[in-house]
Amino acid sequence: MSSNAIFLGAAGMRLQSQKISILGNNIANSTSIAYKGGGMNFIDTYRGFTGQFANGNVKNVGNGIKVGNIFSDWTDGAIKETGKNGDLAWNGDGFFHVVKAGVSYYTRAGDFSLVSAPATLGLAAGSYVLMRPDGSVLQGTDDSGTTTGHMAFSAFPNSWAMSANGTVSVTGTYDHDSDATTAEIAITVNNGQVSAARFSNPDGLIREDNGLYLPSVDAGINTGIPDANGIGSVTQGALEMSNVDLVNEFTDLVLTQ
């Protein structure tokens, strides 16, 4: 056996180990909110034309394999009803626009809670925002996505609801000056419609922790609002779950090993 054959075999096993890492990550995230499974394709490589035999057949010598593509499965995950007001799920194509530490991200994970706005956001005292556990804040719009900003409640509402197109409605009033003799003011929501986006090439997104994605030039971003221009609708009181199929992942894991 030639030494080259041994090196080619070893290189192939190293690449297969990368695929095992992807499969293991999928299995580990099978219960992560809105996680999209990853995959890897291999392609064969050749040294190129090295001459011909007497019968005219070309001498093509195999040179092993290389990674052809690393991709994500962007199909929707199952929708799980939770009954929590802050939980939001996508139906169809779309991403929530969020901001974390001043950086814009996009995510399918809708595990938001209505919390007091941190002072670092620069909002009026007493404001509330929809925030994920990682600190990313939901962004909204008041002009169908042309401009965006923090979706900010002027006070904690008695109740609130979000429609399929991402528009928020609230009930309740608050005492804006702590003066019981002055009429209370109705609670309002600045940027009260979800800021959303869809991508013509979501595989061009850069994955970050906690289900966050950074857009790249190759992703082809189209901003807007839910339930318009190809962007899906929002369901309140539910979460999109991982789209990982454990049966397929374990089968692929055994075959790859």
PDB file of all heavy atoms in Angstrom, residues 1 30 35 42 63 78 88 111 113 117 134 146 152 164 171 173 177 180 190 198 216 218 227 237 243 256:
ATOM      1  N   MET A   1       0.857  -1.192   0.000  1.00  0.00           N
ATOM      2  CA  MET A   1       0.000   0.000   0.000  1.00  0.00           C
ATOM      3  C   MET A   1       0.896   1.245   0.000  1.00  0.00           C
ATOM      4  O   MET A   1       1.844   1.339   0.764  1.00  0.00           O
ATOM      5  CB  MET A   1      -0.903   0.008   1.238  1.00  0.00           C
ATOM      6  CG  MET A   1      -1.828   1.214   1.318  1.00  0.00           C
ATOM      7  SD  MET A   1      -2.806   1.237   2.855  1.00  0.00           S
ATOM      8  CE  MET A   1      -3.785  -0.244   2.614  1.00  0.00           C
ATOM      9  N   SER A  30     -31.133  19.790  20.218  1.00  0.00           N
ATOM     10  CA  SER A  30     -32.438  19.286  19.766  1.00  0.00           C
ATOM     11  C   SER A  30     -33.603  19.893  20.540  1.00  0.00           C
ATOM     12  O   SER A  30     -34.754  19.804  20.093  1.00  0.00           O
ATOM     13  CB  SER A  30     -32.481  17.760  19.871  1.00  0.00           C
ATOM     14  OG  SER A  30     -32.312  17.355  21.226  1.00  0.00           O
ATOM     15  N   TYR A  35     -33.680  26.469  17.134  1.00  0.00           N
ATOM     16  CA  TYR A  35     -32.394  26.055  16.572  1.00  0.00           C
ATOM     17  C   TYR A  35     -32.603  25.448  15.189  1.00  0.00           C
ATOM     18  O   TYR A  35     -33.547  24.696  14.956  1.00  0.00           O
ATOM     19  CB  TYR A  35     -31.726  25.033  17.491  1.00  0.00           C
ATOM     20  CG  TYR A  35     -30.443  24.464  16.926  1.00  0.00           C
ATOM     21  CD1 TYR A  35     -29.255  25.169  17.017  1.00  0.00           C
ATOM     22  CD2 TYR A  35     -30.436  23.222  16.286  1.00  0.00           C
ATOM     23  CE1 TYR A  35     -28.068  24.646  16.493  1.00  0.00           C
ATOM     24  CE2 TYR A  35     -29.266  22.692  15.765  1.00  0.00           C
ATOM     25  CZ  TYR A  35     -28.090  23.409  15.867  1.00  0.00           C
ATOM     26  OH  TYR A  35     -26.930  22.898  15.340  1.00  0.00           O
ATOM     27  N   PHE A  42     -19.638  16.573   1.220  1.00  0.00           N
ATOM     28  CA  PHE A  42     -18.272  16.363   0.747  1.00  0.00           C
ATOM     29  C   PHE A  42     -18.263  16.246  -0.773  1.00  0.00           C
ATOM     30  O   PHE A  42     -19.256  15.837  -1.388  1.00  0.00           O
ATOM     31  CB  PHE A  42     -17.677  15.082   1.341  1.00  0.00           C
ATOM     32  CG  PHE A  42     -17.571  15.103   2.848  1.00  0.00           C
ATOM     33  CD1 PHE A  42     -18.344  14.257   3.628  1.00  0.00           C
ATOM     34  CD2 PHE A  42     -16.711  15.979   3.473  1.00  0.00           C
ATOM     35  CE1 PHE A  42     -18.245  14.273   5.008  1.00  0.00           C
ATOM     36  CE2 PHE A  42     -16.603  16.006   4.851  1.00  0.00           C
ATOM     37  CZ  PHE A  42     -17.367  15.158   5.621  1.00  0.00           C
ATOM     38  N   ASN A  63      -7.708  12.181  -5.422  1.00  0.00           N
ATOM     39  CA  ASN A  63      -6.916  12.882  -4.409  1.00  0.00           C
ATOM     40  C   ASN A  63      -7.708  13.062  -3.120  1.00  0.00           C
ATOM     41  O   ASN A  63      -7.505  14.023  -2.380  1.00  0.00           O
ATOM     42  CB  ASN A  63      -6.463  14.243  -4.950  1.00  0.00           C
ATOM     43  CG  ASN A  63      -5.252  14.781  -4.223  1.00  0.00           C
ATOM     44  OD1 ASN A  63      -4.372  14.012  -3.830  1.00  0.00           O
ATOM     45  ND2 ASN A  63      -5.216  16.088  -4.030  1.00  0.00           N
ATOM     46  N   ALA A  78     -41.332  22.906  14.956  1.00  0.00           N
ATOM     47  CA  ALA A  78     -42.688  22.766  15.495  1.00  0.00           C
ATOM     48  C   ALA A  78     -43.008  23.942  16.419  1.00  0.00           C
ATOM     49  O   ALA A  78     -42.122  24.478  17.094  1.00  0.00           O
ATOM     50  CB  ALA A  78     -42.823  21.456  16.252  1.00  0.00           C
ATOM     51  N   LEU A  88     -43.001  34.509  21.539  1.00  0.00           N
ATOM     52  CA  LEU A  88     -43.436  34.816  20.181  1.00  0.00           C
ATOM     53  C   LEU A  88     -42.824  33.807  19.214  1.00  0.00           C
ATOM     54  O   LEU A  88     -41.631  33.507  19.299  1.00  0.00           O
ATOM     55  CB  LEU A  88     -43.002  36.231  19.783  1.00  0.00           C
ATOM     56  CG  LEU A  88     -43.397  37.366  20.739  1.00  0.00           C
ATOM     57  CD1 LEU A  88     -42.754  38.676  20.292  1.00  0.00           C
ATOM     58  CD2 LEU A  88     -44.911  37.518  20.813  1.00  0.00           C
ATOM     59  N   ASP A 111     -38.194  34.015  22.825  1.00  0.00           N
ATOM     60  CA  ASP A 111     -38.414  33.870  24.270  1.00  0.00           C
ATOM     61  C   ASP A 111     -38.204  35.213  24.985  1.00  0.00           C
ATOM     62  O   ASP A 111     -37.247  35.395  25.735  1.00  0.00           O
ATOM     63  CB  ASP A 111     -37.503  32.788  24.849  1.00  0.00           C
ATOM     64  CG  ASP A 111     -36.037  32.963  24.452  1.00  0.00           C
ATOM     65  OD1 ASP A 111     -35.758  33.639  23.446  1.00  0.00           O
ATOM     66  OD2 ASP A 111     -35.169  32.411  25.155  1.00  0.00           O
ATOM     67  N   SER A 113     -39.388  38.530  27.453  1.00  0.00           N
ATOM     68  CA  SER A 113     -40.113  38.884  28.676  1.00  0.00           C
ATOM     69  C   SER A 113     -40.186  40.393  28.747  1.00  0.00           C
ATOM     70  O   SER A 113     -39.256  41.104  28.331  1.00  0.00           O
ATOM     71  CB  SER A 113     -39.399  38.337  29.923  1.00  0.00           C
ATOM     72  OG  SER A 113     -39.365  36.927  29.922  1.00  0.00           O
ATOM     73  N   ALA A 117     -36.746  48.689  31.430  1.00  0.00           N
ATOM     74  CA  ALA A 117     -35.688  49.013  30.481  1.00  0.00           C
ATOM     75  C   ALA A 117     -34.408  49.407  31.199  1.00  0.00           C
ATOM     76  O   ALA A 117     -34.419  50.296  32.050  1.00  0.00           O
ATOM     77  CB  ALA A 117     -36.141  50.143  29.566  1.00  0.00           C
ATOM     78  N   ASP A 134     -30.686  36.534  27.050  1.00  0.00           N
ATOM     79  CA  ASP A 134     -29.308  36.925  26.739  1.00  0.00           C
ATOM     80  C   ASP A 134     -29.119  38.440  26.705  1.00  0.00           C
ATOM     81  O   ASP A 134     -28.009  38.920  26.447  1.00  0.00           O
ATOM     82  CB  ASP A 134     -28.869  36.312  25.407  1.00  0.00           C
ATOM     83  CG  ASP A 134     -29.624  36.886  24.218  1.00  0.00           C
ATOM     84  OD1 ASP A 134     -30.685  37.511  24.431  1.00  0.00           O
ATOM     85  OD2 ASP A 134     -29.162  36.714  23.079  1.00  0.00           O
ATOM     86  N   THR A 146     -39.519  51.251   7.863  1.00  0.00           N
ATOM     87  CA  THR A 146     -38.579  52.221   7.299  1.00  0.00           C
ATOM     88  C   THR A 146     -37.556  52.662   8.335  1.00  0.00           C
ATOM     89  O   THR A 146     -36.356  52.769   8.058  1.00  0.00           O
ATOM     90  CB  THR A 146     -39.332  53.449   6.754  1.00  0.00           C
ATOM     91  OG1 THR A 146     -40.277  53.013   5.767  1.00  0.00           O
ATOM     92  CG2 THR A 146     -38.366  54.439   6.123  1.00  0.00           C
ATOM     93  N   ALA A 152     -40.850  50.107  23.053  1.00  0.00           N
ATOM     94  CA  ALA A 152     -40.828  50.580  24.445  1.00  0.00           C
ATOM     95  C   ALA A 152     -42.238  50.876  24.948  1.00  0.00           C
ATOM     96  O   ALA A 152     -42.964  51.680  24.365  1.00  0.00           O
ATOM     97  CB  ALA A 152     -39.963  51.823  24.569  1.00  0.00           C
ATOM     98  N   ALA A 164     -51.068  39.095  14.539  1.00  0.00           N
ATOM     99  CA  ALA A 164     -50.252  38.313  13.621  1.00  0.00           C
ATOM    100  C   ALA A 164     -49.268  39.167  12.831  1.00  0.00           C
ATOM    101  O   ALA A 164     -48.212  38.686  12.405  1.00  0.00           O
ATOM    102  CB  ALA A 164     -51.147  37.532  12.662  1.00  0.00           C
ATOM    103  N   THR A 171     -53.568  47.821  27.454  1.00  0.00           N
ATOM    104  CA  THR A 171     -54.607  48.441  28.272  1.00  0.00           C
ATOM    105  C   THR A 171     -53.964  48.845  29.598  1.00  0.00           C
ATOM    106  O   THR A 171     -53.033  48.198  30.072  1.00  0.00           O
ATOM    107  CB  THR A 171     -55.767  47.473  28.555  1.00  0.00           C
ATOM    108  OG1 THR A 171     -55.271  46.323  29.246  1.00  0.00           O
ATOM    109  CG2 THR A 171     -56.437  47.037  27.264  1.00  0.00           C
ATOM    110  N   THR A 173     -53.394  52.428  32.593  1.00  0.00           N
ATOM    111  CA  THR A 173     -52.909  53.795  32.743  1.00  0.00           C
ATOM    112  C   THR A 173     -51.840  53.816  33.821  1.00  0.00           C
ATOM    113  O   THR A 173     -51.635  52.839  34.535  1.00  0.00           O
ATOM    114  CB  THR A 173     -54.046  54.743  33.146  1.00  0.00           C
ATOM    115  OG1 THR A 173     -54.612  54.287  34.402  1.00  0.00           O
ATOM    116  CG2 THR A 173     -55.142  54.781  32.083  1.00  0.00           C
ATOM    117  N   ASP A 177     -46.869  61.477  37.414  1.00  0.00           N
ATOM    118  CA  ASP A 177     -46.196  62.440  38.291  1.00  0.00           C
ATOM    119  C   ASP A 177     -46.419  62.139  39.776  1.00  0.00           C
ATOM    120  O   ASP A 177     -46.166  62.992  40.629  1.00  0.00           O
ATOM    121  CB  ASP A 177     -46.671  63.862  37.991  1.00  0.00           C
ATOM    122  CG  ASP A 177     -48.181  64.014  38.128  1.00  0.00           C
ATOM    123  OD1 ASP A 177     -48.826  63.026  38.551  1.00  0.00           O
ATOM    124  OD2 ASP A 177     -48.706  65.089  37.815  1.00  0.00           O
ATOM    125  N   ALA A 180     -51.849  61.877  43.022  1.00  0.00           N
ATOM    126  CA  ALA A 180     -53.147  61.185  42.958  1.00  0.00           C
ATOM    127  C   ALA A 180     -54.272  62.084  42.480  1.00  0.00           C
ATOM    128  O   ALA A 180     -55.323  61.601  42.068  1.00  0.00           O
ATOM    129  CB  ALA A 180     -53.485  60.604  44.328  1.00  0.00           C
ATOM    130  N   ASN A 190     -44.079  52.891  22.060  1.00  0.00           N
ATOM    131  CA  ASN A 190     -43.298  53.474  20.966  1.00  0.00           C
ATOM    132  C   ASN A 190     -42.745  52.357  20.088  1.00  0.00           C
ATOM    133  O   ASN A 190     -42.315  51.312  20.585  1.00  0.00           O
ATOM    134  CB  ASN A 190     -42.139  54.308  21.515  1.00  0.00           C
ATOM    135  CG  ASN A 190     -42.611  55.589  22.178  1.00  0.00           C
ATOM    136  OD1 ASN A 190     -43.680  56.121  21.854  1.00  0.00           O
ATOM    137  ND2 ASN A 190     -41.831  56.084  23.121  1.00  0.00           N
ATOM    138  N   ARG A 198     -36.370  39.208   6.303  1.00  0.00           N
ATOM    139  CA  ARG A 198     -36.186  37.907   5.671  1.00  0.00           C
ATOM    140  C   ARG A 198     -34.926  37.987   4.828  1.00  0.00           C
ATOM    141  O   ARG A 198     -34.468  39.089   4.472  1.00  0.00           O
ATOM    142  CB  ARG A 198     -37.395  37.498   4.817  1.00  0.00           C
ATOM    143  CG  ARG A 198     -37.721  38.461   3.682  1.00  0.00           C
ATOM    144  CD  ARG A 198     -39.022  38.078   2.989  1.00  0.00           C
ATOM    145  NE  ARG A 198     -38.922  36.784   2.344  1.00  0.00           N
ATOM    146  CZ  ARG A 198     -38.553  36.620   1.069  1.00  0.00           C
ATOM    147  NH1 ARG A 198     -38.248  37.674   0.317  1.00  0.00           N
ATOM    148  NH2 ARG A 198     -38.484  35.423   0.538  1.00  0.00           N
ATOM    149  N   SER A 216     -24.671  39.262   6.576  1.00  0.00           N
ATOM    150  CA  SER A 216     -23.515  39.557   5.736  1.00  0.00           C
ATOM    151  C   SER A 216     -24.026  40.038   4.388  1.00  0.00           C
ATOM    152  O   SER A 216     -25.224  39.965   4.094  1.00  0.00           O
ATOM    153  CB  SER A 216     -22.648  38.310   5.557  1.00  0.00           C
ATOM    154  OG  SER A 216     -23.327  37.358   4.755  1.00  0.00           O
ATOM    155  N   ASP A 218     -23.674  38.651   1.620  1.00  0.00           N
ATOM    156  CA  ASP A 218     -24.186  37.516   0.848  1.00  0.00           C
ATOM    157  C   ASP A 218     -25.576  37.059   1.290  1.00  0.00           C
ATOM    158  O   ASP A 218     -26.241  36.318   0.572  1.00  0.00           O
ATOM    159  CB  ASP A 218     -23.226  36.326   0.965  1.00  0.00           C
ATOM    160  CG  ASP A 218     -21.869  36.607   0.334  1.00  0.00           C
ATOM    161  OD1 ASP A 218     -21.830  37.392  -0.630  1.00  0.00           O
ATOM    162  OD2 ASP A 218     -20.864  36.059   0.827  1.00  0.00           O
ATOM    163  N   ASP A 227     -46.126  39.474   8.247  1.00  0.00           N
ATOM    164  CA  ASP A 227     -47.336  39.277   7.445  1.00  0.00           C
ATOM    165  C   ASP A 227     -47.396  40.220   6.241  1.00  0.00           C
ATOM    166  O   ASP A 227     -48.477  40.648   5.840  1.00  0.00           O
ATOM    167  CB  ASP A 227     -48.586  39.446   8.326  1.00  0.00           C
ATOM    168  CG  ASP A 227     -49.739  38.570   7.857  1.00  0.00           C
ATOM    169  OD1 ASP A 227     -49.487  37.606   7.114  1.00  0.00           O
ATOM    170  OD2 ASP A 227     -50.895  38.841   8.250  1.00  0.00           O
ATOM    171  N   GLY A 237     -47.712  33.795  22.596  1.00  0.00           N
ATOM    172  CA  GLY A 237     -47.969  32.702  23.526  1.00  0.00           C
ATOM    173  C   GLY A 237     -47.486  31.360  23.041  1.00  0.00           C
ATOM    174  O   GLY A 237     -48.009  30.314  23.437  1.00  0.00           O
ATOM    175  N   ASN A 243     -35.667  22.345  14.823  1.00  0.00           N
ATOM    176  CA  ASN A 243     -36.145  21.511  13.714  1.00  0.00           C
ATOM    177  C   ASN A 243     -35.297  20.246  13.541  1.00  0.00           C
ATOM    178  O   ASN A 243     -35.374  19.572  12.513  1.00  0.00           O
ATOM    179  CB  ASN A 243     -36.180  22.311  12.409  1.00  0.00           C
ATOM    180  CG  ASN A 243     -34.794  22.712  11.911  1.00  0.00           C
ATOM    181  OD1 ASN A 243     -33.785  22.466  12.572  1.00  0.00           O
ATOM    182  ND2 ASN A 243     -34.740  23.358  10.752  1.00  0.00           N
ATOM    183  N   THR A 256     -21.617   7.906   9.747  1.00  0.00           N
ATOM    184  CA  THR A 256     -20.383   8.691   9.660  1.00  0.00           C
ATOM    185  C   THR A 256     -19.279   8.057  10.470  1.00  0.00           C
ATOM    186  O   THR A 256     -18.125   7.982  10.052  1.00  0.00           O
ATOM    187  CB  THR A 256     -20.629  10.133  10.109  1.00  0.00           C
ATOM    188  OG1 THR A 256     -21.707  10.705   9.348  1.00  0.00           O
ATOM    189  CG2 THR A 256     -19.386  10.992   9.913  1.00  0.00           C
TER     190      THR A 256
END
